[in-house]
Amino acid sequence: MKVGAHVSISGSRVSSDDETPPYDDMRNAVHRQLAFGGNCGQVFTTSPQVWAQPELTDEAAEGFRSETEENLEGPWVIHSAYLVNLCTPKDDLRRKSKESMQAELDAAERLGIPYVNVHLGAHTGAGVEGGLDNAASLIDELDVPEGVRILIESDAGSGTKLGGEFSHLAGIIDRTETDIGICIDTAHTLVAGNDLTTPEAVDETVGRFDDEVGLEYLEYIHLNDSKHDVGTHKDEHALIGEGYIGEDGMRAIVNHPDLRDLPFALETPTEDGKGFAWNIEKVKQLRDE
């Protein structure tokens, strides 16, 4: 089973054992993942709250690649900055979003990471069709390195944000000439209006996704429970099995024949003394042999 967490690269003294030297770079992610019991996962290469370029030394990039290959099943995925808006009609924001995405794609190539995950963003008045057109044209202007794939993440669907409906995901695939994939966030999918609370509901939602988008495009799953119910469009993650998806829904997701072999990255909160290690172990317990 490929399951891990979204881990930080920050800090100056992270090691998985007494014999491993400390690092102050991307290699922290590998050691944190091991400490949590994960074997794949997600990272930010820089602060997601500001327009900043990843700072990678050759030593750090080579170390990250070699330690990942030695210790993890993989794959990693980079999550783009929160400020990126592919759908925007505003020239300045579009330019900054393009520059940020290109930097992440280049970093992924150096790090040996096969995916860069990004939200479509908000159309802010351009409309659904206009927003999807904007996103597709921006994606097609990027220089995507060989071996790296852009993943469009499903959204909770609040306001003018796109990606909450499967038709939006299908729409961006249809519009772009770039070979993109999809990352489904289970919490986002639930609150966007798709039931995931029972085995029957999970099977129906997966079937609709296949009909509208195509399971061949699904590359990664953000496995999160939700503090809010179906169709509320409120994005707030919960501990695995302790939200509205619940244990029955989570068990159905991680064992579904069309999903079980995909990598799962957790973005769960730390609450009541339960952090990533607890959540990863919970997922493993829900998985059938």
Side-chain angles (χ1 to χ4, degrees):
M1 184 181 190
K2 300 186 185 80
V3 59
H6 180 118
V7 294
S8 172
I9 67 171
S10 65
S12 59
R13 301 192 66 82
V14 177
S15 62
S16 58
D17 57 60
D18 292 338
E19 297 180 357
T20 303
Y23 300 121
D24 58 357
D25 54 43
M26 287 294 300
R27 286 168 286 187
N28 281 332
V30 179
H31 299 291
R32 284 196 171 98
Q33 199 65 255
L34 291 171
F36 292 139
N39 59 14
C40 67
Q42 182 172 261
V43 291
F44 291 123
T45 61
T46 187
S47 172
Q49 306 286 0
V50 297
W51 296 113
Q53 300 289 317
E55 297 181 1
L56 295 175
T57 65
D58 290 341
E59 180 186 7
E62 292 169 5
F64 176 87
R65 292 176 70 124
S66 64
E67 292 190 26
T68 292
E69 183 176 352
E70 180 179 348
N71 294 293
L72 302 179
E73 295 294 325
W76 287 103
V77 56
I78 292 173
H79 196 299
S80 65
Y82 293 139
L83 300 178
V84 169
N85 187 343
L86 303 183
C87 293
T88 183
K90 301 175 182 178
D91 290 340
D92 187 54
L93 180 54
R94 178 185 174 90
R95 176 183 60 80
K96 290 179 179 178
S97 297
K98 179 182 173 181
E99 290 174 352
S100 179
M101 281 296 295
Q102 189 62 60
E104 298 290 15
L105 291 166
D106 294 341
E109 181 182 34
R110 290 184 65 192
L111 293 164
I113 294 178
Y115 304 117
V116 174
N117 178 78
V118 63
H119 293 267
L120 283 172
H123 67 70
T124 61
V128 173
E129 299 302 314
L132 292 174
D133 288 343
N134 291 339
S137 63
L138 191 156
I139 290 170
D140 287 341
E141 290 174 8
L142 295 168
D143 181 12
V144 182
E146 185 177 353
V148 180
R149 196 178 194 191
I150 296 170
L151 302 184
I152 304 298
E153 181 179 343
S154 63
D155 199 271
S158 61
T160 66
K161 291 180 179 179
L162 300 185
E165 298 182 20
F166 291 161
S167 62
H168 299 167
L169 304 178
I172 190 65
I173 291 171
D174 290 342
R175 282 168 170 80
T176 181
E177 298 178 359
T178 305
D179 179 23
I180 62 173
I182 301 297
C183 172
I184 285 292
D185 183 304
T186 54
H188 297 171
T189 299
L190 181 85
V191 301
N194 306 281
D195 195 355
L196 293 171
T197 59
T198 66
E200 295 77 16
V202 169
D203 200 48
E204 191 275 334
T205 295
V206 171
R208 278 194 296 105
F209 178 90
D210 192 23
D211 289 340
E212 294 186 45
V213 184
L215 281 166
E216 65 270 23
Y217 292 101
L218 184 58
E219 296 280 350
Y220 225 105
I221 294 178
H222 285 172
L223 191 66
N224 302 302
D225 212 325
S226 172
K227 291 188 177 180
H228 303 281
D229 208 348
V230 181
T232 56
H233 302 291
K234 295 180 179 179
D235 181 10
E236 193 175 6
H237 298 174
L239 301 171
I240 297 296
E242 297 193 5
Y244 277 88
I245 295 178
E247 286 196 6
D248 288 347
M250 280 292 166
R251 181 180 290 107
I253 292 168
V254 301
N255 290 293
H256 193 282
D258 291 324
L259 308 180
R260 60 180 286 124
D261 292 332
L262 293 169
F264 298 93
L266 279 63
E267 302 167 320
T268 45
T270 297
E271 296 175 344
D272 303 323
K274 301 172 181 176
F276 281 137
W278 183 91
N279 281 278
I280 289 172
E281 181 58 31
K282 181 73 172 182
V283 172
K284 293 176 180 179
Q285 291 172 4
L286 295 172
R287 179 64 169 255
D288 294 337
E289 294 294 335

